[in-house]
Structure formats: structure tokens, C-alpha cells
Amino acid sequence: MAIDHLVMNVRNVDTTVRWYERVLGMSRRESESTDGKPGRVALVFGNQKMNIRPITADKEDWFTARSAVAGSEDLCFLTEASPETVAAHLAHCGIPIELGPVPKAGARGTLTSIYCRDPDGNLIEISSYQ
């Protein structure tokens, strides 16, 4: 098994997308609507994507979790960049580091992780394997 995509509930789609493009280098993708409703926005990274769902979206239009709350995510993204490079990039972007670099247990072994927060307050872990 593998993860294909996640759905992130956000207060402001454009603010979120700009942050992830600028800070994590993700790419914006907009889908075409087939039913006359507005298309959806996703952030693409590698072979995965995150659909970006505004918390104001109608649950009938967007089948989703029972509690669509912005800022409740805790996500870990892998990078090949060194922790020092990640820290320097976050500083350049004006993003405060909340914790790190610190060793953490990952799915394949020990990670070195740096933590920050996105515009909604989601905890974002940027990690690399040794």
C-alpha cells in the first residue's frame, strides 16, 4: 500500500497554496469541474498530492471527514536536503523553527527533523534519513 493523496482543510486556499509553493516547493494543480461547480485545487509533490479544501466548502459538494477543521494536521515531508539546508531555507523564508533539528522515529528508521507551522497552524515536519 501507499498514500496517493491527502485532503487538508484550510481557512484560505490561496494563502495555503502560496506558502507550500514558496516554502516546500510544491506545485499547484487545478482540476476542471465536470458539473459546473468550481474546480478543486491540489498541491503536487513527487507522486503524491494534497487536495486543498476550504473549510467553507459544502459537505454535499466535497465528501470529506466529519470534522473539517483547519490547523489540526501533523504532517511529515521527506527531503534529500540536509537539516542545515532546511533550516537556512526556512530562515530565508521568514518561517520560525519550532523544534529541531532533532532525531525522530520514521517509517524506515531514524529521521532528522525540523518542525515549523503553516499559515493555519498545522505542524509541518521536514525530515531526512541519515
Side-chain angles (χ1 to χ4, degrees):
M1 280 209 172
I3 292 177
D4 180 76
H5 70 276
L6 304 168
V7 177
M8 180 182 286
N9 295 292
V10 302
R11 288 181 187 89
N12 185 294
V13 171
D14 289 330
T15 298
T16 297
V17 168
R18 283 193 307 272
W19 191 90
Y20 280 87
E21 287 174 324
R22 180 174 63 91
V23 177
L24 297 184
M26 294 182 182
S27 300
R28 179 185 187 123
R29 180 190 299 163
E30 293 191 40
S31 64
E32 296 286 329
S33 175
T34 57
D35 57 7
K37 296 175 184 171
R40 294 185 180 181
V41 174
L43 288 162
V44 178
F45 54 103
N47 293 321
Q48 297 83 36
K49 71 173 184 162
M50 273 192 317
N51 292 330
I52 306 303
R53 180 191 180 276
I55 57 173
T56 58
D58 188 333
K59 287 191 179 185
E60 292 177 15
D61 291 339
W62 193 313
F63 185 66
T64 191
R66 284 193 176 103
S67 298
V69 179
S72 63
E73 306 294 336
D74 181 344
L75 302 172
C76 177
F77 295 102
L78 292 176
T79 182
E80 292 181 1
S82 70
E84 296 78 21
T85 300
V86 171
H89 176 69
L90 292 174
H92 175 77
C93 291
I95 307 297
I97 293 174
E98 298 238 341
L99 180 66
V102 293
K104 291 290 179 172
R108 300 185 314 235
T110 301
L111 297 164
T112 300
S113 299
I114 294 178
Y115 292 84
C116 63
R117 295 200 184 267
D118 76 2
D120 281 306
N122 294 303
L123 185 61
I124 303 302
E125 180 179 356
I126 306 168
S127 303
S128 57
Y129 282 102
Q130 307 297 329

